[in-house]
Amino acid sequence: MRLHLLLLLALCGTGTTAAALSYSLRGNWSICNGNGSLELPGAVPGCVHSALFQQGLIQDSYYRFNDLNYRWISLDNWTYSKEFKIPFEISKWQKVNLILEGVDTISKILFNEVTIGETDNMFNRYEQCSFSWDWGPSFPTQGIWKDVRIEAYNICHLNDFTFSPIYDKSAQAWNLEIEATFDVVSSKPVGGQVIVAIPKLQTQQMYNLELQPGKRIVELFLNISKNITVETWWPHGHGNQTGYNMTILFELDGGLNIEKSAKVYFRTVELIEEPIKGSPGLSFYFKINGFPIFLKGSNWIPADSFQDRVTSELLRLLLQSVVDANMNTLRVWGGGIYEQDEFYELCDELGIMVWQDFMFACALYPTDQGFLDSVRAEVAYQIKRLKSHPSIIIWSGNNENEEALMMNWYHISITDRPIYIKDYVTLYVENIRELVLAGDKSRPFITSSPTNGAETVAEGWVSQNPNSNYFGDVHFYDYISDCWNWKVFPRARFASEYGYQSWPSFSTLEKVSSTEDWSFSSKFSLHRQHHEGGNKQMLYQAGLHFKLPKSTDPLRTFKDTIYLTQVMQAQCVKTETEFYRRSRSEIVDQQGHTMGALYWQLNDIWQAPSWASLEYGGKWKMLHYFAQNFFAPLLPVGFENENTFYIYGVSDLHSDYSMTLTVRVHTWSSLEPVCSCVTEHLVMKGGEAVRLYEEPVSQLLRRCGNCTRESCVVSFYLSADHELLSPTNYHFLSSLKEAVGLCKAQITAIISQQGDIFVFDLETSAVAPFVWLDVGSIPGRFSDNGFLMTEKTRTILFYPWEPTSKSELEQSFHVTSLTDIY
C-alpha cells in the first residue's frame, strides 16, 4: 500500500501565535488500486473494504460467501492520496511532523513524490486474526486505520506523557511517577518550571527543569501526604472506581505553556505464587489493594474485522454487558489488536480488570534484528500508551506459544528444538520482558498463557508441561467428554481459556444469509463454521442430554437446532465455571485453589458459530444470561459425587453473611414443589467456597414423594430475612432427554411499559426448562433468560438499547422452551 500526500505550495497564514499547531488530515482521501483501473473516495480513518462498500462497489463483506468473493481486495495494492493546503506558514516553524497513528500494514509513504517513510507493523504509531481464525473470517484489511495529522511547533514539544501510581509500603503513602518526553528543537537549553496538581487530594508540587536540545525525558516524583485519604480503584463488584483529576502545567522559556490533564487511579496489584499446604506446586492468584480477587470473565477479541466500524457506542454496549453479567475481567487475547484508548478508559470507568497479551499468538516468530527492532518499538510504545490504566493488571508475552513449542504443535525435530527455544527466550524474555520491567514496575509480567509462571522461569523460561494444574494458568477444551460431568475439568490454579461453541440467533444470521442457507447442513452453514468438526461436535454434545429437533419443517428444524446449541453451550459453560468457582477454597487429590475463570470468548467478530456469549452487534446469547447467574457474587452450586448431592456456597464478598439455604424439588409434571427444606442460619465466609448441604440422592428421592431421577428436578437459593441473596440455581438428576412428565408448556406474556423499561408478565401451563424470550432484531436485553420456569407466573424486564415501542415488541416477541422441540 502507498500513501501519497501532495502539499500545494499556496500557503496561507500570517505568523505564529501558538506554541504548536495541529492540522488534521482526516476525512476524504482518494483511493486507487494497483493498476489504476479503480479509483474512489474513501474516509480516513478507514480501510479499503469500507470505502468500496460505502461507494456501493461491493456488498456487505459479511454477507454469505463474500469473505471468499472479496479476497481480490486484499491481494491488490492500493494507494491513498490527498492534496491539501496547510493553513499556516511552514517557514515560521522549527519542526513540522507528519503523524500517522496507525497504518495497516505494509506501506510506503510519499510526500510531494518523495518517499519519507515505510511501515510494516500495524501495532506501532507512524492484525494477525485478520487472516482468519476458527471463529472469524479472513479480511486482511488495508488502510489508514487511525488518525493522521500534521503537527508544527517551535522551541519544544511534549510528545508523550504517562504516569504510574506507586504505593510505598514502608511509608504507607502513595507516590506518582510521571514521565514526559519532549522534542526540544531550540538550539539553546529551555528552562522553566512544572506544576503538578491533584486538587481533591490537596496535592500540588512545583519543579524546576532545564531541557537540553534533542529528545529529552523528564521524570517527576509526586509525593502524596499519608495524612490524605486516598480512595483506591476497585474491580467491579468489590468497590468503587474512584479516580482523581490531575493537571500538569509546563511553564517554559519564551512564554511557552503546555498543559495536560488526566484521570489518576490508585490501586495495587500483586500476582501471588506461593506454596499451598497439601498440594505440590504454587498458587496463582491476584491481590488488588491487598485483597485476593477471584477473576470472573471472558476473553476479548476485536469487535469487528473492520476497525472503522467499532464505534464508541458499540464499545460501551459490549463492555457494559460485561459488568451486567457480573464479570470483573477481560483477557485481551494476543491474536487480535491492542485496543483503542477508549476501550481501556471504559474498563477503568466500569471496573473491568484487563489481562493484556502482547500481540503474538499460536506461532513461532523470527528473531532477526529487523523483526526485533520492530517488536521493541511496538512493545515500548504500547507500554507507554497503556500503563497509566488501573484496569490493566498483568502483561502476558504471548498466547499459547510456550505450549505450542513444548507440546510440539508444529512437529519440530528434537534436534532443532534448542534453536527454537533459544529464539523464544530471545524474543519474549530478553526483549519483551526486558522492556516491560524497564517501562512499567506497577504490574506483573508472564511470558505466555498458558504458562507455569514462576515454575516456567525456574525451568529456563519454557516448562515441560505449560498446562500443568499445579502452576500458573491453563487452557482447556474437550468437546467429546460429557460436559455435565464435572470430573472431566482440570482442577487448576487458574482457567484462562475454556468453552463450547453455539450458533448465533436466527435474527442475527438472517441479515447475512438467504433462504437456501437456512439449514444446518447447507453450504453456508458448513462454510461459516471455521472450527473443524464444530457443527458435529455441537450436535454430539447436545445429543448426550437432549433430543435433537426432528420437525418436518426445515426452517423450524434449523431454528430449533440453533436454540439447542445455545442451550448446550450455556449448560456446559455453566457446569465448568461453577466447578472452578467452588474449587477456590479446597484441595482435592492435591489439586485446587482455583482463582480465575475466563471462558472463551466474550464477543463475535461476525455472524457465525463460535464460542462467544455475545453475538455480533452485542445481542446476548443464552450463555451470557447464564453468566449473569454463575458469576453472581453469592452463588449456591449443586453437584453430585458418588451418588450424593452437594451444595456449596460461593462468595466473592469481603464480609461474612448470615443466611439460609432453601432446597426445593419439583416433578416435571407439576408447578407445585413436592418437597422443600430450609437450613438453619449459615454463616457464609467472605471470599470462600464452603459446603452447605449434602444428602444421598436416594434419600432425597424417597423424602420427596418417591421421586425418581427422571421425574424430578432440584432448585435452591440463598436468602436472609425473606430477601433473595443469590440467583435460584438448579440441578438436573438425569438427562432431559430421559425426563418423565415433561409436557408442552403454553407460555403467554403480557407486555407493559414503565418509563424506558418494558415488563413481561409471563404465565406457563407447565414446568418449562430453558425458557427463551426473543424479540428478534430489537436491540436490548432481558433481566433473565434461558431460565427454568417452575412456577406458574414470573416477571421479566426488558431493557432496550434503542428507542422502541410496546407494539414493536409485541410484533417481534417469541418464546421457546425445551418442551417446544420435544
Side-chain angles (χ1 to χ4, degrees), residues 271 273-274 280-284 402 446-447 451-468 470-473:
L271 174 57
E273 298 179 88
E274 60 188 12
L282 300 171
S283 65
F284 190 91
E402 180 185 350
I446 55 176
T447 50
T451 185
N452 288 349
E455 175 63 17
T456 288
V457 178
E459 292 185 42
W461 300 106
V462 287
S463 287
Q464 290 302 309
N465 177 19
N467 233 354
S468 169
Y470 299 104
F471 303 95
D473 66 318

Side-chain angles (χ1 to χ4, degrees), residues 421-564:
I421 291 176
K422 182 177 182 297
D423 285 350
Y424 180 92
V425 173
T426 296
L427 178 58
Y428 300 110
V429 180
E430 297 172 1
N431 281 275
I432 294 177
R433 178 177 178 271
E434 174 192 283
L435 288 166
V436 172
L437 295 183
D440 183 11
K441 302 178 180 64
S442 67
R443 52 181 61 84
F445 170 84
I446 55 176
T447 50
S448 187
S449 175
T451 185
N452 288 349
E455 175 63 17
T456 288
V457 178
E459 292 185 42
W461 300 106
V462 287
S463 287
Q464 290 302 309
N465 177 19
N467 233 354
S468 169
N469 289 348
Y470 299 104
F471 303 95
D473 66 318
V474 303
H475 295 183
F476 178 81
Y477 297 96
D478 181 350
Y479 309 113
I480 304 303
S481 300
D482 181 358
C483 77
W484 286 25
N485 176 14
W486 57 266
K487 294 183 179 180
V488 306
F489 306 129
R491 200 181 289 271
R493 306 300 193 213
F494 193 111
S496 54
E497 274 194 33
Y498 60 96
Y500 296 84
Q501 280 198 321
S502 73
W503 275 78
S505 61
F506 181 75
S507 62
T508 295
L509 287 172
E510 189 177 18
K511 300 170 186 174
V512 292
S513 59
S514 65
T515 54
E516 65 198 89
D517 301 325
W518 298 340
S519 161
F520 210 64
S521 58
S522 70
K523 286 180 61 178
F524 173 82
S525 294
L526 295 174
H527 172 70
R528 219 68 173 185
Q529 173 58 268
H530 285 198
H531 171 56
E532 185 177 2
N535 288 348
K536 290 182 179 178
Q537 290 168 356
M538 279 186 271
L539 294 182
Y540 170 79
Q541 193 65 238
L544 293 177
H545 298 287
F546 305 102
K547 297 175 184 177
L548 298 182
K550 293 182 180 179
S551 172
T552 56
D553 177 359
L555 180 57
R556 172 68 186 274
T557 296
F558 185 53
K559 291 181 177 180
D560 287 348
T561 303
I562 289 172
Y563 163 79
L564 198 59

Side-chain angles (χ1 to χ4, degrees), residues 715-783:
S715 62
F716 40 93
Y717 58 87
L718 299 170
S719 62
D721 299 325
H722 305 290
E723 180 182 348
L724 198 64
L725 297 180
S726 75
T728 298
N729 210 340
Y730 56 84
H731 175 70
F732 298 131
L733 295 165
S734 73
S735 296
L736 268 70
K737 67 181 180 181
E738 300 165 352
V740 173
L742 263 182
C743 56
K744 184 173 175 59
Q746 302 294 332
I747 302 174
T748 58
I750 298 175
I751 304 174
S752 58
Q753 186 171 1
Q754 294 180 359
D756 295 331
I757 298 171
F758 293 88
V759 180
F760 285 64
D761 289 312
L762 306 177
E763 184 171 321
T764 182
S765 63
V767 173
F770 304 107
V771 175
W772 182 246
L773 313 178
D774 190 64
V775 289
S777 297
I778 296 177
R781 70 171 182 89
F782 290 94
S783 56

Side-chain angles (χ1 to χ4, degrees), residues 559-795:
K559 291 181 177 180
D560 287 348
T561 303
I562 289 172
Y563 163 79
L564 198 59
T565 66
Q566 291 208 17
V567 169
M568 175 276 297
Q569 179 197 37
Q571 187 66 20
C572 287
V573 177
K574 171 185 186 291
T575 304
E576 187 167 357
T577 304
E578 289 181 347
F579 167 72
Y580 294 138
R581 290 199 69 191
R582 67 178 168 86
S583 297
R584 69 175 290 170
S585 300
E586 65 181 7
I587 295 294
V588 178
D589 297 330
Q590 298 188 316
Q591 299 179 8
H593 277 208
T594 308
M595 284 296 288
L598 309 178
Y599 65 77
W600 184 269
Q601 66 204 69
L602 177 76
N603 54 311
D604 262 335
I605 200 169
W606 72 330
Q607 306 92 334
S610 77
W611 294 257
S613 62
L614 295 177
E615 299 178 5
Y616 179 75
K619 184 174 182 177
W620 288 29
K621 285 184 179 177
M622 192 178 294
L623 170 56
H624 209 78
Y625 286 102
F626 274 42
Q628 184 177 228
N629 290 331
F630 63 61
F631 281 144
L634 273 176
L635 181 69
V637 175
F639 65 99
E640 288 183 45
N641 190 24
E642 303 297 331
N643 290 314
T644 296
F645 176 56
Y646 297 89
I647 298 177
Y648 275 38
V650 181
S651 172
D652 289 329
L653 305 178
H654 292 215
S655 304
D656 300 347
Y657 271 80
S658 176
M659 62 191 69
T660 58
L661 170 69
T662 300
V663 182
R664 290 178 175 171
V665 177
H666 279 81
T667 63
W668 289 118
S669 58
S670 173
L671 289 166
E672 294 297 325
V674 293
C675 67
S676 178
C677 70
V678 181
T679 66
E680 296 181 354
H681 276 82
L682 307 165
V683 176
M684 186 69 234
K685 291 284 188 181
E688 290 189 12
V690 297
R691 184 185 304 173
L692 302 179
Y693 176 95
E694 65 177 284
E695 185 175 10
V697 175
S698 58
Q699 178 178 309
L700 173 67
L701 296 175
R702 286 194 305 271
R703 182 170 60 81
C704 294
N706 293 316
C707 270
T708 66
R709 281 185 172 274
E710 294 76 18
S711 66
C712 290
V713 61
V714 186
S715 62
F716 40 93
Y717 58 87
L718 299 170
S719 62
D721 299 325
H722 305 290
E723 180 182 348
L724 198 64
L725 297 180
S726 75
T728 298
N729 210 340
Y730 56 84
H731 175 70
F732 298 131
L733 295 165
S734 73
S735 296
L736 268 70
K737 67 181 180 181
E738 300 165 352
V740 173
L742 263 182
C743 56
K744 184 173 175 59
Q746 302 294 332
I747 302 174
T748 58
I750 298 175
I751 304 174
S752 58
Q753 186 171 1
Q754 294 180 359
D756 295 331
I757 298 171
F758 293 88
V759 180
F760 285 64
D761 289 312
L762 306 177
E763 184 171 321
T764 182
S765 63
V767 173
F770 304 107
V771 175
W772 182 246
L773 313 178
D774 190 64
V775 289
S777 297
I778 296 177
R781 70 171 182 89
F782 290 94
S783 56
D784 197 6
N785 215 342
F787 46 83
L788 171 65
M789 195 165 181
T790 57
E791 296 178 336
K792 188 174 181 62
T793 61
R794 183 163 184 174
T795 298

Side-chain angles (χ1 to χ4, degrees), residues 254-442:
L256 176 59
N257 289 345
I258 301 174
E259 186 171 10
K260 286 286 183 179
S261 60
K263 182 84 79 173
V264 182
Y265 300 88
F266 297 87
R267 68 100 183 89
T268 63
V269 56
E270 303 166 84
L271 174 57
I272 307 299
E273 298 179 88
E274 60 188 12
I276 299 174
K277 185 178 179 181
S279 176
L282 300 171
S283 65
F284 190 91
Y285 68 93
F286 292 86
K287 281 186 176 180
I288 305 297
N289 303 323
F291 187 82
I293 304 282
F294 189 103
L295 271 58
K296 307 180 297 186
S298 189
N299 285 259
W300 172 274
I301 66 167
D304 205 297
S305 297
F306 311 104
Q307 282 298 301
D308 52 315
R309 292 185 183 180
V310 182
T311 63
S312 299
E313 292 76 19
L314 177 60
L315 279 179
R316 180 169 285 277
L317 184 148
L318 295 175
L319 294 176
Q320 185 63 50
S321 292
V322 170
V323 296
D324 286 345
N326 287 311
M327 301 182 190
N328 60 28
T329 306
L330 287 177
R331 174 174 171 251
V332 177
W333 168 74
I337 62 171
Y338 303 98
E339 279 297 333
Q340 56 186 277
D341 292 342
E342 189 169 6
F343 171 88
Y344 300 98
E345 291 164 2
L346 284 168
C347 288
D348 295 343
E349 174 191 325
L350 295 170
I352 302 170
M353 294 180 285
V354 174
W355 172 312
Q356 179 67 54
D357 282 1
F358 286 100
M359 293 300 120
F360 303 86
C362 301
L364 303 178
Y365 290 81
T367 55
D368 60 273
Q369 195 56 51
F371 184 75
L372 289 178
D373 289 345
S374 179
V375 168
R376 289 183 68 87
E378 167 191 329
V379 170
Y381 169 65
Q382 296 298 343
I383 292 171
K384 187 175 292 186
R385 180 174 77 95
L386 299 176
K387 73 175 185 178
S388 299
H389 292 283
S391 53
I392 299 177
I393 62 166
I394 189 170
W395 299 106
S396 175
N398 64 71
N399 171 76
E400 295 183 345
N401 291 350
E402 180 185 350
E403 183 178 24
L405 180 59
M406 299 311 290
M407 298 295 104
N408 205 15
W409 291 2
Y410 306 118
H411 311 294
I412 300 167
S413 68
I414 193 70
T415 55
D416 289 339
R417 182 178 289 186
I419 298 172
Y420 288 89
I421 291 176
K422 182 177 182 297
D423 285 350
Y424 180 92
V425 173
T426 296
L427 178 58
Y428 300 110
V429 180
E430 297 172 1
N431 281 275
I432 294 177
R433 178 177 178 271
E434 174 192 283
L435 288 166
V436 172
L437 295 183
D440 183 11
K441 302 178 180 64
S442 67

